[in-house]
Amino acid sequence: MPRSVNSVASRARRKKVLKQTRGYFLARKNVWTVAKNAHEKALQYAYRDRRTKKRNFRGLWIQRINAACRLHGMSYSEFMGLIHKNNIELNRKTLADLAMNNPNAFEAIVKSLKK
């Protein structure tokens, strides 16, 4: 009896990976073993960096809030301490957006905290 291999499914699996590696450099796009390794590594990086992105954005928001606070004579830690003490329910993302795009509103928040 001849050996039975499911070459249709195997070829489909290879085609799927090669389609996803289109645009990679040199052999990473068309040599099966190299492409498979490159694709697996890319998936690892994507998984890791979805979490890293959250950290990076939080750091960016803190820098923006700090810069805006310094313009009004207050440090970031003082500002956030007063925000929590006065039960102002604005997160860092919103505060950073106000600091960048609506400085007057941010200044009003700082003035209300200084009272």
Side-chain angles (χ1 to χ4, degrees), residues 38-51:
H39 179 65
E40 286 175 356
K41 193 66 171 180
L43 292 176
Q44 287 176 349
Y45 285 140
Y47 178 84
R48 179 195 72 188
D49 291 337
R50 279 195 296 274
R51 280 129 193 90

Side-chain angles (χ1 to χ4, degrees), residues 6 23 32 86 110:
N6 193 355
W32 163 243
N86 291 316
V110 172

Side-chain angles (χ1 to χ4, degrees), residues 1 8-9 13 24 26 36 54-55 62 67 80 84 93 106-108 113:
M1 185 170 178
V8 175
R13 242 188 336 268
Y24 285 15
L26 296 176
K36 184 169 72 83
K54 295 167 181 56
R55 274 178 253 152
I62 289 171
M80 290 310 288
H84 293 304
K93 181 179 180 179
F106 190 82
E107 185 178 1
L113 292 175

Side-chain angles (χ1 to χ4, degrees), residues 9-20:
S10 301
R11 182 72 189 147
R13 242 188 336 268
R14 284 195 292 271
K15 275 178 64 175
K16 186 173 92 173
V17 170
L18 289 172
K19 183 179 178 188
Q20 290 174 327

Side-chain angles (χ1 to χ4, degrees), residues 78-89:
E78 290 171 328
F79 177 76
M80 290 310 288
L82 290 172
I83 284 276
H84 293 304
K85 189 183 288 184
N86 291 316
N87 294 323
I88 297 175
E89 295 291 327

